[in-house]
Amino acid sequence: MKNDATRNERLKAALRDNLKRRKAQTRVRGQASAAAETGDAGERPNAKPDRDADG
């Protein structure tokens, strides 16, 4: 029974962490899309990476 309790606690913690991460990702995506709509985006979405002098 102890293993079940330990497993449940680990699962609970993992689910909580996943939810926090997903909420943060959603928040960042919302800010990025809002910035793109207003023209405040720091980077161009279709920009190609700069090349070195070597080419």
Side-chain angles (χ1 to χ4, degrees):
M1 290 299 254
K2 184 179 180 191
N3 288 340
D4 289 341
T6 303
R7 181 176 182 266
N8 286 339
E9 288 300 317
R10 282 188 292 132
L11 288 173
K12 193 179 195 181
L15 287 170
R16 189 170 37 245
D17 290 344
N18 287 344
L19 181 61
K20 285 181 184 179
R21 188 182 72 247
R22 290 178 65 183
K23 281 185 175 182
Q25 288 173 341
T26 302
R27 196 176 312 119
V28 169
R29 286 185 187 132
Q31 290 171 353
S33 67
E37 289 175 5
T38 61
D40 294 338
E43 295 185 19
R44 295 171 290 161
N46 296 326
K48 294 181 181 175
D50 294 332
R51 292 186 176 216
D52 295 327
D54 295 341

